[in-house]
Amino acid sequence: MSSPAPQPETNPVRSMSLYICVANASAAIDFYREAFGAKEMWRLVESGGKIGHAEIQIGNTSLMLSDEYPDYNTLSPETIGGSPVKIHLDVADVDAFAERAIKAGATLLRPIADQFYGDRSGQLADPFGYTWIVSTHIKDVPVEEMQKELDKWAQEEKVKKSDEAGYVKEPKMRRENRHAVTPYITVQQPAELIDFLTNAFDAIEHFRATGTAGGMHAELSIGDSIVMVGGAEHIEPKPTAIHLYVPDVDQAYERALKAGAKSLMPVEDQPYGERSGGVEDAHGNRWYIATPFVPLQTIAQDLHTVTIYFHPIGAQRFIDFVTDGLGGRELMRHAEGDMIMHAKVQIGDSVIELGEARYPTQPLPTAIYLYVNDVDALYEQALKAGGTSMLPPTDQAYGDRNAWVKDPFDNVWYIAAPVKR
């Protein structure tokens, strides 16, 4: 006599339950088991392997989840470009919990810290696009006291932003005020890189959130420029090389070394009119730090505080792609024979710099967020010039129309413009 088929466990009737959709439900269940100590209750699987419905238990609460079904308008954060939903999770030891989750592939968005409302908490991003507020209750705080602390914090933030406005040329962070070319530095520990940038180069963090691929997305300003930082343990790194103008190169160089960078070249006066040095941070990004000692019009004309520097193998072919595919305009070049030692190409209101890769400086394929007037037209132009499509033009939930193109040198260009309303 055969045994009866196992039945789903019966849970008490709940007035409300959280139901999330992910791009890979099986992988999500594995992640929540390893990172959060979840217990799988049951799952329903289609013949093709997709999970139509599953339930897991985290702590004393059940979480429902499934794979995405675009035909039924059931979409994951990876497909729609992020999720506005944050999930609050109470745990016994938030520090130990966060450490375990990060080892399993979560990304730290906000450090664990004591909060004015009586919790010790922080924020984590899972690899599937959801943000988790993880928290341990420390003490009860009266509502009146919480309100006072909130008012105090709001006032401090107002003063802080007012102070920052004297340093940042675009304090409101409006897209229309941003430069055409923005580096998108992708690393596996983005929170650590943000700490490095603030300690070494006085970067100002404006916000951080969950990115479309499930890791972190943050935006910072250094001088007159915006730098995007993103990534997570499960995302392929895309470090970059940056020509960085600072008020005092000697000071910035020493601060970068103290913040954990290693020296690439000591600070020295250069024959072309800069005092410069180079460092590499712990994530593989190269920073060519410089202060001009000749008039800016002769050495730094058209450059911003942050300028991406490329080291392609085949500099002429790279220039051809940027001019033919992305509407760039070559401004200058210095060559020795057939080798392009240094060149500048303008794209919109920005300039990129490049030089033929040569030992020990090798290519460093990176990611670039490129603001343009017409995403669709430039996307087609880039493909005709030899680019490879990674994402056709798509309206994103965060307000941009976006297309992704990989150039023949493995750089990824996120071509973007505000969605037309």
Side-chain angles (χ1 to χ4, degrees):
M1 182 177 177
S2 60
S3 301
Q7 298 297 314
E9 294 186 30
T10 302
N11 295 319
V13 176
R14 298 182 294 269
S15 299
M16 184 168 61
S17 296
L18 182 64
Y19 199 127
I20 65 173
C21 170
V22 293
N24 187 334
S26 180
I29 292 171
D30 291 341
F31 169 80
Y32 295 137
R33 181 187 299 112
E34 181 178 358
F36 296 171
K39 174 185 176 183
E40 182 178 352
M41 308 300 290
W42 56 282
R43 67 173 73 183
L44 297 176
V45 184
E46 293 187 1
S47 57
K50 292 185 69 171
I51 295 179
H53 182 87
E55 291 193 24
I56 61 176
Q57 184 171 327
I58 303 175
N60 61 3
T61 303
S62 292
L63 173 69
M64 301 178 181
L65 70 157
S66 75
D67 277 303
E68 64 179 349
Y69 289 83
D71 291 346
Y72 298 96
N73 203 31
T74 304
L75 303 175
S76 70
E78 294 180 37
T79 298
I80 64 177
S83 171
V85 174
K86 291 185 178 181
I87 306 169
H88 192 282
L89 182 62
D90 287 310
V91 297
D93 184 341
V94 67
D95 295 271
F97 184 92
E99 182 179 357
R100 171 179 175 174
I102 292 168
K103 286 181 180 179
T107 301
L108 183 66
L109 294 180
R110 289 291 180 196
I112 307 300
D114 291 348
Q115 308 295 342
F116 67 85
Y117 45 83
D119 286 358
R120 181 168 176 79
S121 70
Q123 293 188 24
L124 302 170
D126 68 27
F128 308 95
Y130 290 100
T131 298
W132 296 75
I133 303 170
V134 292
S135 179
T136 297
H137 188 65
I138 301 173
K139 61 181 180 179
D140 293 333
V141 179
V143 174
E144 296 78 9
E145 186 176 335
M146 283 194 283
Q147 185 63 55
K148 289 179 181 178
E149 290 297 321
L150 178 60
D151 294 341
K152 179 182 176 182
W153 174 84
Q155 182 61 30
E156 290 173 349
E157 286 295 300
K158 183 178 180 180
V159 172
K160 179 182 176 182
K161 290 180 180 179
S162 177
D163 291 342
E164 291 174 357
Y167 178 71
V168 186
K169 292 185 177 180
E170 46 178 2
K172 293 185 178 179
M173 294 290 288
R174 297 195 304 269
R175 276 185 168 79
E176 59 267 26
N177 287 343
R178 300 183 186 186
H179 305 313
V181 176
T182 299
Y184 200 127
I185 307 175
T186 307
V187 298
Q188 292 185 316
Q189 292 86 32
E192 293 180 9
L193 177 59
I194 291 172
D195 289 342
F196 170 79
L197 296 179
T198 54
N199 293 328
F201 305 135
D202 288 324
I204 297 172
E205 181 182 349
H206 293 272
F207 75 90
R208 65 176 79 179
T210 305
T212 57
M216 181 195 292
H217 172 84
E219 298 190 12
L220 305 90
S221 55
I222 306 177
D224 73 348
S225 302
I226 301 301
V227 174
M228 296 181 178
V229 173
E233 290 286 351
H234 67 284
I235 296 175
E236 179 187 3
K238 283 282 187 182
T240 190
I242 298 291
H243 186 184
L244 181 69
Y245 278 128
V246 295
D248 186 333
V249 61
D250 295 86
Q251 183 187 75
Y253 175 83
E254 291 299 328
R255 288 175 62 184
L257 296 183
K258 289 180 181 179
K262 66 179 182 180
S263 177
L264 295 176
M265 49 190 174
V267 176
E268 296 178 339
D269 289 348
Q270 306 295 342
Y272 46 82
E274 287 182 355
R275 181 167 174 78
S276 64
V279 301
E280 182 175 287
D281 64 37
H283 309 276
N285 303 289
R286 302 172 196 153
W287 300 88
Y288 307 136
I289 314 167
T291 302
F293 56 77
V294 297
L296 292 179
Q297 290 77 10
T298 61
I299 183 64
Q301 186 174 7
D302 303 315
L303 300 187
H304 298 298
T305 302
V306 173
T307 300
I308 303 179
Y309 205 108
F310 296 87
H311 297 283
I313 297 176
Q316 182 58 61
R317 291 189 299 112
F318 179 74
I319 292 174
D320 291 341
F321 174 80
V322 174
T323 54
D324 296 341
L326 302 175
R329 179 173 66 91
E330 184 176 343
L331 298 179
M332 62 79 64
R333 73 168 65 189
H334 167 67
E336 294 182 4
D338 293 333
M339 180 175 287
I340 298 175
M341 309 299 290
H342 178 70
K344 295 180 181 179
V345 180
Q346 185 172 9
I347 307 176
D349 67 349
S350 300
V351 172
I352 62 170
E353 296 181 289
L354 65 126
E356 186 75 38
R358 55 194 186 277
Y359 182 82
T361 306
Q362 293 302 299
L364 200 63
T366 189
I368 308 96
Y369 207 88
L370 182 64
Y371 284 110
V372 301
N373 293 324
D374 189 329
V375 172
D376 298 70
L378 198 71
Y379 168 78
E380 295 295 337
Q381 185 175 328
L383 297 187
K384 290 179 181 178
T388 302
S389 176
M390 297 179 67
L391 177 75
T394 304
D395 289 349
Q396 304 288 358
Y398 49 83
D400 280 357
R401 183 166 178 78
N402 215 244
W404 303 357
V405 173
K406 180 180 286 189
D407 68 25
F409 303 87
D410 286 335
N411 302 294
V412 176
W413 299 81
Y414 299 124
I415 305 169
V419 173
K420 296 179 180 179
R421 301 297 183 187

